[in-house]
Amino acid sequence: MGEVSRMQVPRVLDAVRTAALEAAVLTGRLALYSTGLLAERPVPEPVSRDGGAAPGPRPVLLIHGFVDNRSVFALARRSLGRHGWDQLASVNYSPLTWDVRAAAEAFGTQLEEFRARTGRPRVDVVAHSLGGLIARYCVQRLGGDAHVHTLLTLGTPHAGTRAAPALSLHPLVRQMRPGSDVLAELAGPAPGCRTRFVSFWSECDQVVDPVHSARLVHPDLRCRSVRVRGVGHLALPVHSAVIAQVRRELLADLEDNADARSPAPSAEVA
């Protein structure tokens, strides 16, 4: 028993560190929440380099999770901006949103407006938690794949979550439950979808239960997963190592071949 207890100590310490980080992130999130209610900064015009067209990273549109707002991406935006992303924007959806499908339709309008302002044919989307389901529904079911090159999700319950049963009175939470009608639609055939999907999942996620539900697996989609260690659900959009991997994934320029369905190798963030 003593040997077993000693083997469990690292796991307990990891859990304590993760919980402490989540508490710190929650405190910061509450402090910054009001800033996410301010009007979004205008998207700058494409920056021309060497007198030619504007090359470099594709524009990035960010969408937050449940009961949150664009302030969650403050650190990610700063990091992306410092590493060459000239065109960034975040969208808010109403806290009164009751349906993933309706939110996806509204997001589709915001996506097209953003793409038109950037002057680029396709953009990338980075989404946290519920935002990933909204963006995925737009891409997979509403034709958004015509404008989205890569959809990168952080802690999105692609296969549903059983966490927080007390919140099941909310329709959005019910739609995130395993076996919901929305998840059944997303699990259905998606032939010809042109978007590349990258799903970050954390083995310490307290909101996605089971944690591997945040891995997107679909026979018709080009999917890649990134396993994250020691980072909880709230910290995923703000953790420096996760943000660094997000940048790398967005720069991984795979061929835009809708028929290339061979699974990409997974990655890991420690």
Side-chain angles (χ1 to χ4, degrees):
M1 289 294 293
E3 182 65 26
V4 172
S5 297
R6 284 193 295 272
M7 292 175 61
Q8 292 176 339
V9 168
R11 296 180 183 178
V12 172
L13 292 177
D14 285 345
V16 170
R17 283 193 291 265
T18 300
L21 178 59
E22 288 288 275
V25 169
L26 178 59
T27 300
R29 187 81 56 86
L30 293 174
L32 289 174
Y33 190 87
S34 61
T35 66
L37 302 176
L38 302 175
E40 174 72 358
R41 298 191 300 271
V43 178
E45 294 295 324
V47 177
S48 177
R49 296 177 175 87
D50 301 324
R58 286 176 297 273
V60 173
L61 186 61
L62 305 112
I63 177 170
H64 61 81
F66 186 56
V67 297
D68 217 328
N69 64 31
R70 62 169 61 96
S71 63
V72 68
F73 290 113
L75 294 180
R77 288 186 67 155
R78 181 180 301 175
S79 176
L80 289 168
R82 287 176 175 175
H83 287 83
W85 274 263
D86 298 317
Q87 297 177 302
L88 298 165
S90 304
V91 299
N92 281 346
Y93 52 90
S94 171
L96 300 179
T97 298
W98 290 72
D99 180 61
V100 167
R101 301 177 188 87
E105 290 184 12
F107 178 72
T109 300
Q110 295 170 309
L111 172 64
E112 173 54 23
E113 291 173 351
F114 175 68
R115 189 205 61 78
R117 290 197 303 270
T118 66
R120 302 283 287 271
R122 304 185 85 196
V123 302
D124 293 335
V125 175
V126 175
H128 180 229
S129 196
L130 172 62
L133 287 182
I134 293 172
R136 181 183 165 195
Y137 196 96
C138 173
V139 165
Q140 189 178 326
R141 303 287 297 177
L142 303 179
D145 61 315
H147 302 312
V148 177
H149 179 282
T150 296
L151 170 56
L152 188 152
T153 63
L154 303 168
T156 290
H158 290 289
T161 176
R162 300 189 297 259
L167 295 179
S168 291
L169 290 176
H170 197 294
L172 275 179
V173 176
R174 291 201 298 272
Q175 289 181 336
M176 288 188 282
R177 295 297 188 212
S180 74
D181 53 351
V182 167
L183 294 183
E185 281 189 63
L186 292 174
C193 184
R194 289 160 282 186
T195 296
R196 170 185 176 242
F197 296 85
V198 182
S199 56
F200 281 59
W201 67 282
S202 172
E203 57 186 18
C204 298
D205 198 316
Q206 309 92 336
V207 174
V208 179
D209 176 26
V211 295
H212 56 75
S213 290
R215 287 185 64 228
L216 175 55
V217 179
H218 193 292
D220 292 335
L221 304 177
R222 283 185 292 162
C223 304
R224 170 178 165 83
S225 64
V226 178
R227 180 180 183 179
V228 181
R229 296 180 181 272
V231 180
H233 187 81
L234 296 179
L236 282 170
V238 302
H239 195 278
S240 59
V242 174
I243 294 173
Q245 185 65 28
V246 166
R247 297 197 309 266
R248 287 189 285 269
E249 296 294 337
L250 293 178
L251 290 174
D253 222 350
L254 301 184
E255 289 185 3
D256 280 325
N257 181 354
D259 295 324
R261 300 301 175 204
S262 57
S266 60
E268 187 170 298
V269 177

